[in-house]
Structures are given as C-alpha cells and as structure tokens.
Amino acid sequence: MLKLIRLELRKSKFTFLKGVLIADLAILTAMILLIFTGMDDGEFDSYAEIFQGVFIFVKATYIIFASVLISKLVIDEYKNNTITVLFTYPVPRKMLMSAKLIIVFLFTFFGILLSDVAISGLLAGSLYVFPNVIQETLTRELITAHLLSAGTDALYAAGIGLIPLYFGMRRKSVSATIVSAVLIVSLISSGNSFGGFRMGDLFGISITLALAGAAIAYLSIRNIEHQDVS
C-alpha cells in the first residue's frame, strides 16, 4: 500500500502545493486584518474566538482542496478513461482506489492540522507584541485545549472532505465534485459572527458527516473489482 501511495504521489506531482501555501498566507493575512480592523467592534474578544476563526477558514479551504484532489486522482482517471489502463496493472483495484482515497484523507487531515496550528501560533505570537488587542492571557491550558480540538476537528473534516466523491462519481464530473464541496462548506461554516453558532460546531453533525464520508469511500471501492469502467 505504501508503494502505491508513493507512486500516486509521484504521478500526481502535487502541483497545487504552491496554491496551498498561498491559501495559508491568505488566511493569515485575512485573520490579521479582521483582528486589527475589528478591534473597535469587538469582533474578537478572546483567543478561543480567534482560534475558531482560523479553523473555519482552514477547514473550508482544505475541504475544497480535498475535492480538487479527488477530481485529480479519481474523477479525471474515469473521465479520461485512464482508469482502464490503471486497472490492467497486476494490483487489486481495491488497493489502487484505497491508496488514492488515503492520500486525500491524509492530505486533508494533516493540511488542516498543520495549517491550523501554524496560523494560530503566528497570530498568538503577533498578539503577544500587541497585548492591548486581546484582554486575555494565553495560558498553557488554553493552548493544550486548542491543540486537542484542532486534532479532533481535523479528523472530522478529513472525513467530510470525502463526501464530494459521491457527487463526482455519479456523472464523472469534476465541477460536480468541487461545487458539492463548496456547498458542504457553506452549510457547515455559515454564521453571523466568529464565536457564534455554526452547524459544523455541533458534534453530532460533524461526526455524522465524517462517517458519511467514510461510508462513501467504502462503498466506492467495495464492488470495484467487478465494476465495468468502460
């Protein structure tokens, strides 16, 4: 399986990693602008609200990136019929598809986790220089709670990132894959303000969507050995 994952990574070349870096810088810039321009309006009153704001942006960005990766690794292969050639290799189809979906899952999980921690850390460091912005002390307990939350939330989000596979596979459509990801992000991330209620904040909603993503991934490979891909 590790060899298949390495081959898929080598084949895809991850050409959009530059876009990932640009997206992270854009999120960091947007959060700095929101924090400092919203000081008078009380947009952010605590580090918890800032960390939540970072996670909302990061989760939305990486779920959409996951749909792009699904399109590149799976949908395009079916659309261009290169999957037929791939399935002639002396390797079980289930292993080939599992390798692709594992890449999507791990990319989304680690992308969200690392970006969340890095951007939150940079913002916390910046606010240490400007102590008048947030009237709260950043304690070790708060940092530990945020790291634990970031890990579990990234896990849920990685599962949610697999849901667009269902919509993309129905018509072998790249646009359907990406549009469905945007709609999912809009559904779980929309809210009136940072620190306010969002559907994605509900544990039941997050775990249900994550399990739905896992189920879609499982069903997409369950009978693939006998499917006609022509």
Side-chain angles (χ1 to χ4, degrees):
M1 182 62 76
L2 288 176
K3 286 183 178 179
L4 287 175
I5 291 174
R6 280 200 293 267
L7 286 172
E8 283 292 337
L9 290 174
R10 193 178 303 168
K11 189 172 67 174
S12 65
K13 298 179 181 177
F14 264 56
T15 52
F16 61 95
L17 284 180
K18 184 179 178 181
V20 169
L21 180 61
I22 292 173
D24 281 353
L25 290 174
I27 293 170
L28 177 62
T29 304
M31 284 300 299
I32 290 174
L33 290 174
L34 285 171
I35 292 170
F36 285 93
T37 58
M39 285 176 57
D40 296 334
D41 300 330
E43 185 71 53
F44 294 101
D45 294 324
S46 66
Y47 283 103
E49 290 181 0
I50 291 174
F51 293 155
Q52 186 195 35
V54 171
F55 179 69
I56 289 169
F57 281 127
V58 169
K59 178 174 67 174
T61 300
Y62 278 86
I63 287 178
I64 294 172
F65 270 130
S67 71
V68 175
L69 196 51
I70 289 172
S71 300
K72 187 177 180 62
L73 295 180
V74 181
I75 307 300
D76 273 349
E77 294 263 27
Y78 277 92
K79 192 175 178 180
N80 300 327
N81 211 27
T82 53
I83 197 75
T84 306
V85 179
L86 189 65
F87 284 164
T88 60
Y89 294 173
V91 178
R93 293 180 179 184
K94 285 184 178 179
M95 289 187 66
L96 290 169
M97 286 296 290
S98 296
K100 292 173 180 290
L101 298 182
I102 287 172
I103 289 172
V104 175
F105 182 87
L106 293 180
F107 166 79
T108 312
F109 173 74
F110 285 110
I112 291 175
L113 181 61
L114 296 177
S115 296
D116 191 358
V117 171
I119 295 173
S120 297
L122 288 171
L123 287 174
S126 302
L127 293 173
Y128 181 78
V129 181
F130 301 97
N132 59 320
V133 177
I134 300 296
Q135 307 299 324
E136 180 186 28
T137 302
L138 184 60
T139 63
R140 181 179 298 178
E141 289 75 17
L142 185 58
I143 294 173
T144 303
H146 174 61
L147 290 176
L148 291 174
S149 175
T152 53
D153 288 340
L155 189 62
Y156 299 147
I160 295 171
L162 294 172
I163 294 178
L165 176 67
Y166 170 78
F167 299 97
M169 287 294 284
R170 286 179 66 85
R171 293 183 178 275
K172 308 296 184 292
S173 168
V174 170
S175 57
T177 310
I178 297 174
V179 169
S180 64
V182 173
L183 292 176
I184 292 168
V185 165
S186 301
L187 179 68
I188 63 177
S189 302
S190 60
N192 294 326
S193 62
F194 295 103
F197 171 77
R198 283 176 173 77
M199 189 175 293
D201 295 336
L202 296 174
F203 173 76
I205 296 292
S206 295
I207 191 68
T208 300
L209 291 175
L211 290 174
I216 288 168
Y218 169 72
L219 293 174
S220 68
I221 62 175
R222 185 181 60 173
N223 298 320
I224 199 167
E225 298 289 351
H226 310 291
Q227 286 179 354
D228 182 9
V229 296
S230 61

